[in-house]
Amino acid sequence: MTQPRQFVIEADGGSRGNPGPAGYGAVVIDPVTGETLAEAAEYIGVATNNVAEYKGLIAGLKAAKALVPDASADGAVQVRVRMDSKLVVEQMSGRWKIKHPDMKPLAAEAARILPASAVTYEWIPREKNKHADRLANEAMDAGKRGKQWEPSASTAALDTPRPSTTADLPPVSGPPGDAAAGAAKARAALASRPAAASPAAPRVGWGAAPDLGAPATFVLLRHGETALTPEKRFSGSGGSDPELSAAGRHQAERIAQALAARGTIEEIVSSPLRRCRETAAAVAAPLGLEVRIEDGLRETDFGAWEGLTFAEVRERHGSDLDAWLASAKAAPTGGESFAEVTRRVSATRDRLTTRYAGRTVLLVTHVTPIKTLIRLALGAPPEAMFRMELSAASVSAVAYYADGNASVRLLNDTSHLR
């Protein structure tokens, strides 16, 4: 009985702007020798990350199929796809529903390339998908110059050879394939490549900065309105935990539609408070995503001020209010100071940026945590908290890079509500 040919496919896609100029990369690897058998990359114009990732998957599957003449026959090939896109992996594995109209035809095309029994999917961290990620970036760079990516642009198999043993690659399910034939094909492919170019002269200015990869991008969504919101009453984590009002539910539906149309959100994390969980659930449904609860994103505990207006607090707790307005270390009567919130939110930020490096994550939270993240990203003093407007169901965004720097991309966007 002929044993199936075995391949590992690593694929990725990216968009500079999301949506923006986009490209994909894919590499086919022999799981026995670890050698590169084929590469594919292409600039695809303006698209979202998810579209680019799906196109990378399709290109990888087609490249693997091209290596085996009868690949469509049952038992002819066995493929393990490894990607750092949890969305694509979960959808193609059948565990998540595909609801976005741009994703459905791409997923269907990917499913038709090889028999379903021949392909398995595995999520890997971004740092283990560097080859495909670099191919995608090469394709985007070529597109920026008005050119198409060419195989000679990549020297991954030449300047960073994979090990002769593949401890870093999990075995493909099924019996061993024809390793000798795969190795021979890989050597032939490498031999046909042009020699690696001499190292370029050092660049100066911004171009000399190291490639930090894609940032962890936090899309910061304030929850929709509750009954307390229009009356401008203090509503933190120490009060009644109100639900969304009818207006708040409508706002959640509008932002859900807007984010689904963009197709950029890869993960959703929410404060444990009810108004955030309800907002997050509304957004998650059309995206087919799960909601992770993060206690560090809860609102300030306003103590005795919960449910009161500013004027009522001024009347009942005037001295405490004056102290709170004057110092981040002063707490509401029986509550939590901004300094305490900053420590909590900073620890949460650091934990989430590590967990979601290179991904776009929706954080559904409250006024104080969002303002705190914006303030810290800008390096602004604590009093800046009182100088930001943050409407219900508004969207802000901050990108966090590997070197520790942050970039505020958006603040208090409510265009989806108009």
Side-chain angles (χ1 to χ4, degrees):
M1 178 179 177
T2 303
Q3 303 292 352
R5 286 293 308 279
Q6 298 183 9
F7 303 111
V8 169
I9 295 172
E10 293 176 357
D12 198 10
S15 171
R16 294 169 179 172
N18 205 16
Y24 66 75
V27 56
V28 183
I29 303 162
D30 187 313
V32 178
T33 66
E35 293 181 276
T36 296
L37 303 179
E39 289 180 336
E42 184 182 5
Y43 172 70
I44 59 174
V46 176
T48 66
N49 279 334
N50 292 341
V51 167
E53 288 164 344
Y54 260 110
K55 286 187 175 288
L57 167 63
I58 291 168
L61 291 170
K62 287 182 176 179
K65 181 179 181 180
L67 296 173
V68 182
D70 60 345
S72 296
D74 287 338
V77 65
Q78 195 71 40
V79 173
R80 171 164 291 178
V81 175
R82 290 155 48 94
M83 299 181 68
D84 60 57
S85 170
K86 189 172 181 64
L87 176 74
V88 174
V89 168
E90 295 297 316
Q91 288 182 343
M92 292 303 299
S93 299
R95 292 185 289 268
W96 289 1
K97 292 182 179 180
I98 305 172
K99 297 183 179 181
H100 196 283
D102 291 344
M103 304 297 108
K104 290 182 178 180
L106 294 172
E109 181 180 356
R112 289 193 297 266
I113 297 170
L114 293 171
S117 60
V119 186
T120 58
Y121 291 87
E122 175 190 355
W123 178 85
I124 57 174
R126 188 178 187 86
E127 58 269 18
K128 292 188 177 181
N129 203 25
K130 291 182 178 179
H131 192 156
D133 176 71
R134 184 159 57 79
L135 292 176
N137 278 287
E138 287 178 0
M140 286 185 277
D141 290 341
K144 185 177 180 180
R145 297 191 300 268
K147 299 180 179 180
Q148 288 295 318
W149 178 87
E150 296 179 2
S152 59
S154 174
T155 58
L158 297 173
D159 57 12
T160 52
R162 289 180 174 270
S164 57
T165 59
T166 54
D168 63 324
L169 295 178
V172 177
S173 57
D178 185 355
K185 186 180 290 290
R187 286 192 293 271
L190 293 177
S192 67
R193 287 183 171 201
S198 300
R203 293 180 292 173
V204 296
W206 287 354
D211 180 5
L212 300 175
T217 301
F218 289 172
V219 179
L220 308 172
L221 173 60
R222 185 189 171 194
H223 59 81
E225 288 187 9
T226 72
L228 301 179
T229 308
E231 298 179 5
K232 299 187 181 298
R233 295 183 178 274
F234 283 91
S235 181
S237 57
S240 60
D241 195 13
E243 65 182 356
L244 293 179
S245 63
R249 289 191 293 273
H250 177 69
Q251 291 169 339
E253 291 172 1
R254 294 293 296 273
I255 187 59
Q257 294 169 2
L259 292 176
R262 295 177 189 176
T264 57
I265 301 300
E266 298 172 278
E267 307 279 352
I268 301 178
V269 182
S270 173
S271 156
L273 298 184
R274 183 174 181 178
R275 51 199 182 272
C276 286
R277 288 188 286 108
E278 291 176 342
T279 304
V283 174
L287 292 174
L289 297 176
E290 297 180 354
V291 178
R292 182 191 295 268
I293 301 300
E294 172 56 62
D295 185 66
L297 295 178
R298 71 184 186 275
E299 180 58 289
T300 305
D301 182 349
F302 289 110
W305 302 359
E306 295 279 359
L308 302 181
T309 65
F310 190 89
E312 289 169 340
V313 172
R314 168 67 71 191
E315 180 181 349
R316 303 179 194 183
H317 308 283
S319 59
D320 287 350
L321 178 62
D322 288 339
W324 181 70
L325 293 172
S327 172
K329 296 181 180 180
T333 310
E336 185 181 25
S337 71
F338 280 164
E340 292 172 305
V341 175
T342 298
R343 287 192 290 272
R344 165 164 57 85
V345 170
S346 296
T348 302
R349 174 203 60 197
D350 294 345
R351 186 165 59 251
L352 295 181
T353 52
T354 299
R355 180 185 301 164
Y356 298 116
R359 302 179 71 76
T360 300
V361 185
L362 181 71
L363 304 188
V364 186
T365 180
H366 309 265
V367 169
T368 310
I370 293 175
K371 286 186 175 183
T372 298
L373 289 169
I374 297 293
R375 178 182 76 77
L376 293 174
L378 293 173
E383 54 265 30
M385 297 278 287
F386 298 110
R387 298 171 185 168
M388 300 182 204
E389 177 68 25
L390 206 67
S391 305
S394 64
V395 174
S396 303
V398 181
Y400 296 92
Y401 291 88
D403 64 352
N405 284 320
S407 173
V408 176
R409 302 272 181 92
L410 191 67
L411 177 63
N412 197 40
D413 179 22
T414 57
S415 59
H416 48 277
L417 302 178
R418 294 196 283 271

